[in-house]
Amino acid sequence: MSEFLGYERDDGSVGIRNHTVIVSTAPYANDTVKRAADIVEDAIPITHPLGRCQTKPDVFQTYRTLLGYATHPNTYGAVVVAHAGEIVDGDELAEDIAETGRPSDSVNIHREKGVMNALKRTVNSAQEIAQDASAQRRVPSDMSNLTFGINCATSDTTSGLCQHKATAGAVWRLIDDYGGRGCFAETPEFFGGENELAERAVNDEVKEEILERVGHWDERLQATGYDVRGAQPTPDNMDGGLTTIEEKSLGALVKSGDGPIQDIIDYGAKIPRDSGMYIMDTPGHGAESVTGIGAGGAHFMVISTGQGHTLSNAVMPTIKITGNPGSAERVPEETDVDVSEALVGDESFEWATDQLWDEIEEVVNGKVTLSEALGESQFAIHRIGPST
Amino acid sequence: MPDRYLQVVEPTDNVATALRELEAGETVSVGVGDEERTVEIAEDVVFGHKIAIEDIASGETITKYGKSIGNATEDIPAGTWVHVHNVESNYGRGDLADDDQAKVISE
């Protein structure tokens, strides 16, 4: 299959979903956003605790992340809800969304004289966008349009030995055979394997950038005055047999395969359109990392898990794969693909890759993942510095 | 035949991952590259955890994937469970950083 059925956008991207999103620009608009999304069928609320009293680098990161969701390939259109005059400006955000050809509207609670009027306007706008979205049909599109997001979650010692190999096999199949893109992340989880990773960079500039960013995370952690062992590996990682951050990292890097790295990009930045493998500089915190990769425009995310995890994203479908036979049994609602037979049975890793690839083909053509069917999703924007 | 449920990633590794439960006192055969090594299990080990496949002295490097995953904090004889109680990481160690730096941050 070299084509999938997707939704074409005016900006040249192609989506695998056709969402209407309602975006909050500050905590004080979150309730209005959630209430409107409850009323409008299939509308996705984007809420968070940020958007004000932030320093410049943090504001840029928050704005970029919100814009990334509102203009994601899987997004048809968006309504922005602001509280008053905020550092993340609602009108500006709505204008930037409109520039990609997507329908957008800007609602401001103060301008509307309160939450009730703002809610009514938000519902009416989102309703109109959702109805227009429902009239759009899927059309054949080249697989090269797809971007494959990769993250691990609740890793254990099976992760690096099994499921990450299947994930690596599938992402490089998309890149090498179809001309698509891949993006992995979680920079602090390069500790211990950073030199080998940097050697995969396409040039010296990217190589230096990778090492510099890994070093920066090490410095940030040391500057807290505390031992990273208090935070990494996490208790669930340790239950699953992981002993140190280095061991977790060396296993985690298996999911990226061994092919060339094109670039390392900022948190929430758009993943480049050229074919190849990219890194996004994110923390190892799954909810923050996945939120960043979603903002970058990955169409779907493969979450490679050892012990099982609810981690998922509303705009970018998440496919969960495990190679731990106990986890597949323990948390079936969080196991889209079970490849444990490649670890403790007689199947090969090629078989495991095929299992995952088959599921990806289904999902990009419209099959909902387990977390989509359950309405599970988390959203957490990484922040750089303190509030003011 | 080496036990397929004891996995060594690289021949230079000094630990193996248990892909079944191990019982204290059992003797297992571990495949290390082309070689086979016999190890007596010192204590019960659960699925997914590691054992030493050679004697490792306190302070020595624990090697998995052919790379360091930390240092032993005590002597770890072959067949012993290897986990957070006898291994320490070398990354993000703010506790080892300059005292003044830690003090400034904590103030």
Side-chain angles (χ1 to χ4, degrees):
Chain A
M1 185 184 90
S2 60
E3 286 186 331
F4 69 103
L5 294 171
Y7 299 98
E8 289 183 341
R9 310 289 174 214
D10 289 351
D11 62 4
S13 65
V14 183
I16 64 168
R17 297 291 183 270
N18 214 28
H19 295 307
T20 298
V21 302
I22 309 177
V23 184
S24 168
T25 66
Y28 312 111
N30 283 352
D31 280 357
T32 302
V33 165
K34 280 189 238 167
R35 285 173 168 154
D38 275 347
I39 296 168
V40 180
E41 188 161 311
D42 295 334
I44 292 174
I46 302 284
T47 60
H48 56 88
L50 308 176
R52 56 182 283 126
C53 304
Q54 291 174 283
T55 55
K56 277 244 165 95
D58 242 334
V59 173
F60 290 147
Q61 188 154 290
T62 301
Y63 190 91
R64 183 167 61 216
T65 306
L66 297 176
L67 182 63
Y69 278 87
T71 61
H72 191 281
N74 296 347
T75 298
Y76 176 84
V79 182
V80 177
V81 184
H83 168 240
E86 307 288 1
I87 201 160
V88 167
D89 186 85
D91 292 336
E92 189 188 337
L93 189 58
E95 276 168 31
D96 283 349
I97 297 164
E99 268 185 28
T100 67
R102 285 170 178 77
S104 79
D105 194 12
S106 174
V107 177
N108 184 297
I109 293 171
H110 270 221
R111 215 156 55 202
E112 296 297 323
K113 297 190 166 60
V115 291
M116 294 307 290
N117 289 336
L119 177 62
K120 187 167 185 300
R121 262 209 56 201
T122 305
V123 167
N124 287 346
S125 277
Q127 175 192 31
E128 202 175 303
I129 291 169
Q131 198 175 12
D132 286 349
S134 76
Q136 195 185 359
R137 297 286 167 262
R138 285 181 182 265
V139 295
S141 175
D142 200 88
M143 291 286 278
S144 63
N145 286 311
L146 292 173
T147 303
F148 185 134
I150 311 166
N151 213 87
C152 43
T154 302
S155 294
D156 66 15
T157 51
T158 68
S159 300
L161 301 179
C162 182
Q163 54 269 34
H164 287 0
K165 292 184 183 175
T167 301
V171 69
W172 283 99
R173 190 176 292 185
L174 179 66
I175 296 169
D176 290 337
D177 297 358
Y178 298 99
R181 281 149 303 281
C183 181
F184 68 104
E186 306 173 277
T187 317
E189 293 181 14
F190 303 162
F191 287 173
E194 66 270 44
N195 291 312
E196 204 168 60
L197 177 65
E199 285 302 323
R200 290 166 53 192
V202 289
N203 59 41
D204 286 347
E205 199 185 329
V206 174
K207 179 179 164 180
E208 289 307 314
E209 184 74 17
I210 291 171
L211 292 173
E212 199 175 300
R213 288 187 187 243
V214 173
H216 182 61
W217 274 98
D218 197 12
E219 281 166 22
R220 278 176 78 183
L221 286 163
Q222 290 198 36
T224 64
Y226 292 93
D227 178 350
V228 73
R229 288 177 302 177
Q232 289 284 2
T234 60
D236 47 0
N237 294 149
M238 291 188 281
D239 286 347
L242 291 176
T243 302
T244 60
I245 181 66
E246 295 98 301
E247 183 185 14
K248 181 174 174 174
S249 298
L250 291 167
L253 283 170
V254 172
K255 69 186 185 290
S256 72
D258 52 16
I261 308 292
Q262 304 298 321
D263 204 358
I264 179 163
I265 62 172
D266 288 339
Y267 181 93
K270 281 281 178 207
I271 300 162
R273 296 286 277 265
D274 292 337
S275 178
M277 180 69 98
Y278 297 87
I279 300 172
M280 183 179 284
D281 184 9
T282 76
H285 184 314
E288 292 184 7
S289 174
V290 167
T291 297
I293 297 171
H299 290 82
F300 62 92
M301 162 78 62
V302 169
I303 299 205
S304 191
T305 176
Q307 303 270 291
H309 206 299
T310 57
L311 186 56
S312 45
N313 187 277
V315 172
M316 166 185 63
T318 51
I319 300 166
K320 314 246 179 76
I321 180 170
T322 189
N324 182 327
S327 301
E329 240 172 68
R330 214 166 38 242
V331 283
E333 290 156 2
E334 279 131 42
T335 309
D336 291 282
V337 184
D338 171 13
V339 294
S340 54
E341 283 296 306
L343 186 68
V344 294
D346 296 323
E347 298 289 357
S348 65
F349 291 113
E350 185 62 28
W351 167 86
T353 298
D354 288 343
Q355 297 295 300
L356 176 58
W357 185 259
D358 289 349
E359 188 66 14
I360 289 169
E361 284 194 340
E362 295 272 0
V363 168
V364 300
N365 280 291
K367 178 188 173 184
V368 296
T369 64
L370 287 172
S371 57
E372 282 182 295
L374 289 171
E376 280 279 329
S377 72
Q378 301 85 31
F379 187 83
I381 305 173
H382 176 59
R383 63 181 312 172
I384 300 164
S387 302
T388 58
Chain B
M1 276 283 283
D3 189 326
R4 62 183 291 201
Y5 296 108
L6 278 166
Q7 201 170 115
V8 177
V9 187
E10 294 291 335
T12 51
D13 292 357
N14 53 18
V15 293
T17 305
L19 297 175
R20 65 176 176 88
E21 310 229 325
L22 303 176
E23 277 180 37
E26 71 171 300
T27 301
V28 296
S29 176
V30 187
V32 187
D34 296 333
E35 290 171 26
E36 217 173 304
R37 209 176 288 176
T38 302
V39 175
E40 192 179 328
I41 303 299
E43 58 201 310
D44 291 353
V45 176
V46 299
F47 176 95
H49 285 237
K50 293 175 294 299
I51 56 158
I53 55 170
E54 61 192 45
D55 294 340
I56 303 167
S58 181
E60 264 187 65
T61 301
I62 308 290
T63 307
K64 184 183 167 189
Y65 294 102
K67 290 178 180 295
S68 167
I69 61 163
N71 299 326
T73 55
E74 59 190 42
D75 290 341
I76 308 176
T80 305
W81 178 38
V82 174
H83 199 43
V84 294
H85 60 290
N86 53 16
V87 182
E88 67 175 9
S89 165
N90 292 313
Y91 276 82
R93 294 293 299 270
D95 60 326
L96 303 178
D98 182 69
D99 283 348
D100 289 341
Q101 179 195 357
K103 192 159 166 275
V104 168
I105 297 288
S106 67
E107 278 166 359

